[in-house]
Amino acid sequence: QVQPVESGGGSVQAGGSLRLSCATSTSGYDLSRNCITWFRQGSGKEREAVAAIGTGTDETTSTSYADSVKGRFTISRDAAKNVVYLQMNNLKPEDTDMYYCAAFPSFAVLRDGGYCYSNGQGTFWGRGTQVTVSS
């Protein structure tokens, strides 16, 4: 079973930093291959992919980011601890949102723009962690 749990959200001033954590289950889940995506969504807004880490079509582990966060956010994975991180630097008020971790099935692949692709099949969602950035 894969049950993502997010943590690390909080309230910061513009220009500050936060590190989000996504803890994932190892049961029935290949940490060295499977794709993980961080999404965010505000009230009344559509869900937006932020960053992803996983295996591309060439079977190589890589990362992908939304244009809005490139150069500011970094996604990484610690397989030994079963944790995926999202380091967020130089935060802006526009980054204020709920942030969600999503774990994808073994056949998912990494795509440009900061997300994993699986034809909508077998995605496991966390409950989210709130990030608030003030001016």
Side-chain angles (χ1 to χ4, degrees), residues 18-118:
L18 287 171
R19 188 177 75 164
L20 307 184
S21 298
C22 175
T24 58
S25 173
T26 58
S27 179
Y29 200 77
D30 188 346
L31 295 175
S32 67
R33 174 178 171 81
N34 288 42
C35 200
I36 305 294
T37 302
W38 283 99
F39 293 90
R40 63 187 181 187
Q41 185 173 23
S43 180
K45 305 288 289 186
E46 293 188 358
R47 185 184 302 156
E48 176 189 16
V50 176
I53 187 168
T55 303
T57 54
D58 61 355
E59 305 297 326
T60 301
T61 299
S62 58
T63 58
S64 176
Y65 298 92
D67 288 342
S68 60
V69 306
K70 286 181 179 178
R72 300 189 298 121
F73 292 9
T74 302
I75 188 170
S76 62
R77 177 171 59 197
D78 187 337
K81 296 182 178 180
N82 193 29
V83 174
V84 172
Y85 300 104
L86 183 66
Q87 178 67 46
M88 305 186 295
N89 297 326
N90 192 25
L91 284 161
K92 304 175 180 180
E94 306 93 274
D95 296 318
T96 295
D97 266 319
M98 283 287 290
Y99 284 71
Y100 301 88
C101 177
F104 287 76
S106 60
F107 52 82
V109 295
L110 191 72
R111 300 296 193 192
D112 291 341
Y115 70 97
C116 307
Y117 176 73
S118 67

